[in-house]
Each structure stands twice: as C-alpha cells, then as structure tokens.
Amino acid sequence: MPDSTDSDVRSEAVQRRRMTVALVLSAALLGVAAVVIGAVTGGDAEAGSSTPTDGATTPSATGTATPRAAPAAPPAPAAVDTFDRNAHSLDDPASIWVVVNRDRALNPIDYVPDDLVDVPVAHTWDPQLRQEASAALVSMFEAAANEAGLYLASNSAYRSYDTQVGLYGDGSDPTTAPPGHSEHQTGLGIDIGTEGGCTFECMEDSPEGQWLRDNAYRFGFLLRYPADKVDVTGYPHEAWHYRYIGAELATRMRETGYTTLEEFFELTG
C-alpha cells in the first residue's frame, strides 16, 4: 500500500500546480483587459482630436477657437426676360406699336382710327387722339402741373390723310411726312407745346421740354425723332413730337437705351 507520506506530497504538488495555473490565467486576463482599455481610451482621445463635423469652431495650434468659414452664398437666379416683342403688330395701323415712317406707309394708306376722341387739354387746335392715347396724355399733362408746376398744351394731334395732303404740298418741308406716312394719321402722334406759347423749337431748351424727355415714358410716350437719329427715322429732330406706344414698350426702351422704334424692332436698313 502507498505510504501516507507519499500521498500527502502528491496532493501538495497538485495544489501548487493548480495555484500556478490560476495565477498564469489571472495574469493573462489582466493583460487582455489592459489592452482593451488602452484601445478604447486611445480611440476616444484620437476621436477627440479630430476635426469637428458639426461644430462652429475648430481648435487652432494655440488652443483658441478659429471660426469656420461661412458657406458660399448660392448664385442669384438668372433674370428671365418676360417682354414679348410680338405682343402687338408693327404693321396693323390700329396697333399701338405700328411703325410708320417715310419707308413704311399705313395700310390702307387713308386709314382712319375708329376710336378717336376729343382730348380735354389746353390746345392750339382742337386735338383728337385715339382713346387710350388721350387718357394717357391727360394723365401726363396733369402730372407735369402737379409735380413740376409746368403747363403743357397740344399744338397738333390727329390729322387725316386729306389734311396731310394739303400740308405736304410739294414735299419741300423735311419735317412734314408724305400722306399715308404720318404718325399724326395714326391718332397716336402729337405735337406738344406750353400754355405760355412755346410751340416748336423752343421746346428743346424749355423746362417743359426737359420734363417731357425725363418723364414721358412713364405715360407711354416716346420722343419720336431724336437729334442723333435722323438717319434712322428719316426726319429732322423734333423736340415737340411725341408718339404714344404704351407704358410697357416705352419703359422697356428706356431701360435698354433704345430711342427709336426702328432700332428697337430691328427695322433699320
């Protein structure tokens, strides 16, 4: 039978081995835990030093916060041109945009507007215009008086084909249009002077003439024969002759720098 002493020795040895294994396992587990903790804390530190994605500032080298650049503003949308050049005919004599000059006759040549009305303004000869033009003229004369203390008058408005025949005569007057080629015959053209008696050339340097050059477009009127466009219109400069074309077109021409219907509608040449 085994000696009891040997049995005790073997039992003690087994216990020592078990303790050694337990110590080794504990050390191993502690090492793994240290690695994991280091990885976690290191990752947090690294994440903390990265560039913020949702903050308003970024740490600088000196530790102060540097404001982030504001995002660039989006470009303004391109302007859309809504002006319709085909809104009215350039050939129909009843159109407020009809273009008539030495080369472009009315059709029919003896055209008579069907909506002529007497214009209730100061005048030399009883003026008539088409209804729309008459209303605009009255508003313009009232504005000149109320805004600037200037008092305008009509010198000549609608003239019929037959009247133009008599005025034209032998054609020696370069300011007089041939019959059938006159803006006065459209019921949209008017010669404007002052209640004080200024009629034609004096309008060039008068306060009334200057006011009209600055403001007539607001009411739909155009200075029809500018001094620098004789070769375009075919007529000498007339500081007194205005033509109703409607506020939309008059304003558009003002904005774009065009001073003649021929150039705006590309009818030159």
Side-chain angles (χ1 to χ4, degrees):
M1 292 183 64
D3 192 301
S4 58
T5 302
D6 293 338
S7 177
D8 292 338
V9 171
R10 285 194 298 272
S11 178
E12 185 178 350
V14 170
Q15 290 179 1
R16 284 198 298 270
R17 284 196 298 270
R18 289 176 176 173
M19 291 179 64
T20 301
V21 171
L23 290 172
V24 171
L25 290 174
S26 297
L29 291 173
L30 288 173
V32 172
V35 171
V36 172
I37 292 172
V40 172
T41 57
D44 290 344
E46 185 178 349
S49 64
S50 63
T51 302
T53 58
D54 58 355
T57 61
T58 303
S60 67
T62 60
T64 58
T66 302
R68 295 176 61 189
V80 178
D81 187 357
T82 59
F83 186 84
D84 183 4
R85 288 173 173 266
N86 299 311
H88 300 281
S89 171
L90 306 182
D91 303 308
D92 182 352
S95 167
I96 62 171
W97 287 4
V98 64
V99 180
V100 55
N101 52 36
R102 291 189 186 277
D103 298 323
R104 292 173 59 89
L106 294 171
N107 184 19
I109 199 166
D110 58 352
Y111 165 74
V112 178
D114 61 6
D115 60 346
L116 290 171
V117 296
D118 295 330
V119 188
V121 296
H123 56 270
T124 303
W125 292 282
D126 294 339
Q128 285 188 317
L129 288 174
R130 291 183 56 187
Q131 189 169 17
E132 181 178 340
S134 173
L137 187 79
V138 170
S139 295
M140 184 167 70
F141 280 25
E142 289 177 348
N146 295 334
E147 296 174 10
L150 301 173
Y151 297 91
L152 303 171
S154 167
N155 288 323
S156 180
Y158 169 72
R159 295 200 296 257
S160 69
Y161 176 86
D162 291 338
T163 298
Q164 200 67 20
V165 169
L167 291 174
Y168 186 69
D170 61 3
S172 58
D173 182 357
T175 66
T176 303
H181 294 255
S182 172
E183 288 204 323
H184 287 281
Q185 191 178 328
T186 67
L188 301 171
I190 181 169
D191 295 338
I192 301 176
T194 74
E195 285 192 32
C198 175
T199 54
F200 300 112
E201 284 80 4
C202 58
M203 287 295 289
E204 181 68 37
D205 299 318
S206 69
E208 291 84 355
Q210 183 61 57
W211 189 91
L212 284 170
R213 288 192 290 274
D214 292 339
N215 295 278
Y217 77 95
R218 295 163 45 198
F219 306 90
F221 285 90
L222 172 71
L223 176 65
R224 186 64 177 96
Y225 305 126
D228 60 342
K229 300 295 181 179
V230 176
D231 58 333
V232 174
T233 64
Y235 292 100
H237 174 48
E238 295 185 5
W240 57 90
H241 182 91
Y242 281 80
R243 155 71 189 276
Y244 182 75
I245 56 176
E248 182 183 21
L249 177 55
T251 300
R252 180 65 170 183
M253 292 180 65
R254 177 90 172 188
E255 292 172 344
T256 55
Y258 286 95
T259 58
T260 69
L261 295 174
E262 288 82 0
E263 290 173 309
F264 185 82
F265 288 113
E266 299 179 351
L267 299 174
T268 57

